[in-house]
Amino acid sequence: MRVKKQIGKKRIIIAIDGPAASGKSTTARRVAQQLGYIYIDTGAMYRSVTLKALQQGLLDDLRRSPESVSDLIKDIAIRFDGDRVFLNGSDVSSEIRDNRVSREVSFISSLKPVRDRLREMQQELGRERGVVMDGRDIGTVVFPDAELKIFLVAEPRERAKRRYAELIAKCPDGGELPDLDELEDEIRKRDREDAEREHAPLKKHVEAHEIDTSDLTIERQVDIVYNLALDIQKDGR
Ligand code: DC
């Protein structure tokens, strides 16, 4: 693994947005490693709040009366330690990937008070720059001044195959795995929900570099983003 600490170089913000399974987190994590930057997975933050809503049995209340959202966002502390995510001190890194969290996360992330709270936390995490942050609204809302904005896309079928491979890796005996068509339907549904919501919908910033990863290897995606970052640092832009 190439690790080139950019000592003395301008530390920038790299915002990587795009739909589910478009390759954001793998690309963001590796680019951060190569630059000696920190990586922040904002999807994990929305997933953590969703897990809290499930644990506290708040979902029905929230659907009936969105005012109860204040119970959800008060006293919420999310911390990253390498690849681990801690919610109020507990390691929730695996639980936030459960299907029940994936099913509800679009609803929770459509609530404005949740978005406002997490946006503040994300801006604080990136205050010193030198960060690669991935999500849906990083280049458009959280850091519209990010020096490098990337928008990753890929065909829904290809994204479903990637999710399937991840699930197989986690559960090698096959277990209760959804099939590819189901995964593709879920992905298309989440794309629609994320792109059509009222607050901070998924959309490409005009300045973002759009990269279609359908036929790219991870190494190639990482190289493209890494080289764009080096060019910006070189220009001192
Ligand atoms: O990247 P992911 O699939 O783990 O994200 C989970 C959900 O969180 C995604 O469906 C939408 C929401 N999200 C968001 O609304 N804004 C972000 N910046 C990141 C994620």
Side-chain angles (χ1 to χ4, degrees), residues 9-10 228-237:
K9 289 248 171 78
K10 180 182 170 198
L228 285 167
L230 290 190
D231 282 349
I232 291 172
Q233 288 185 326
K234 222 185 311 164
D235 292 353
R237 271 188 279 151

Side-chain angles (χ1 to χ4, degrees), residues 42-43 46-47 97 105 109 115 135-137 190 194 197:
T42 64
Y46 285 94
R47 287 172 178 275
R97 306 286 158 200
V105 67
S109 56
R115 302 208 70 83
R136 304 292 190 284
D137 61 341
R190 200 133 67 87
D194 292 345
R197 71 176 173 225

Side-chain angles (χ1 to χ4, degrees), residues 23-52:
K24 297 184 301 295
S25 56
T26 314
T27 307
R29 184 177 290 110
R30 294 206 194 170
V31 169
Q33 258 171 3
Q34 290 183 199
L35 290 169
Y37 279 16
I38 55 169
Y39 162 55
I40 304 289
D41 171 0
T42 64
M45 300 173 81
Y46 285 94
R47 287 172 178 275
S48 298
V49 178
T50 306
L51 178 66
K52 185 169 186 263

Side-chain angles (χ1 to χ4, degrees), residues 107-230:
F107 166 60
I108 294 295
S109 56
S110 71
L111 303 171
K112 185 161 187 305
V114 171
R115 302 208 70 83
D116 289 346
R117 180 79 189 93
L118 291 191
R119 188 190 60 240
E120 277 168 21
M121 291 167 76
Q122 290 154 8
Q123 288 171 337
E124 181 55 29
L125 286 165
R127 198 164 47 87
E128 296 190 10
R129 307 187 93 79
V131 65
V132 185
M133 199 172 276
D134 78 356
R136 304 292 190 284
D137 61 341
I138 310 307
T140 49
V141 174
V142 182
F143 284 112
D145 66 339
E147 290 83 352
L148 177 57
K149 301 182 184 73
I150 304 288
F151 196 78
L152 291 187
V153 295
E155 292 303 324
R157 190 65 174 181
E158 177 55 34
R159 290 188 279 136
K161 285 185 193 162
R162 292 176 190 173
R163 267 287 132 83
Y164 191 74
E166 274 169 26
L167 292 171
I168 292 268
K170 266 202 274 177
C171 177
D173 64 0
E176 287 289 289
L177 283 186
D179 65 24
L180 261 181
D181 289 337
E182 279 174 74
L183 283 173
E184 187 178 334
D185 286 349
E186 269 176 33
I187 279 179
R188 285 182 186 274
K189 177 167 177 282
R190 200 133 67 87
D191 284 357
R192 248 189 336 269
E193 288 169 348
D194 292 345
E196 289 174 3
R197 71 176 173 225
E198 185 183 352
H199 308 293
L202 168 68
K203 80 169 182 258
K204 177 180 171 288
H205 188 288
V206 282
E207 288 166 9
H209 299 260
E210 179 166 322
I211 304 171
D212 186 335
T213 67
S214 306
D215 297 318
L216 294 181
T217 60
I218 288 290
E219 286 69 27
R220 184 75 193 113
Q221 292 169 45
V222 172
D223 255 18
I224 294 172
V225 179
Y226 178 69
N227 285 320
L228 285 167
L230 290 190

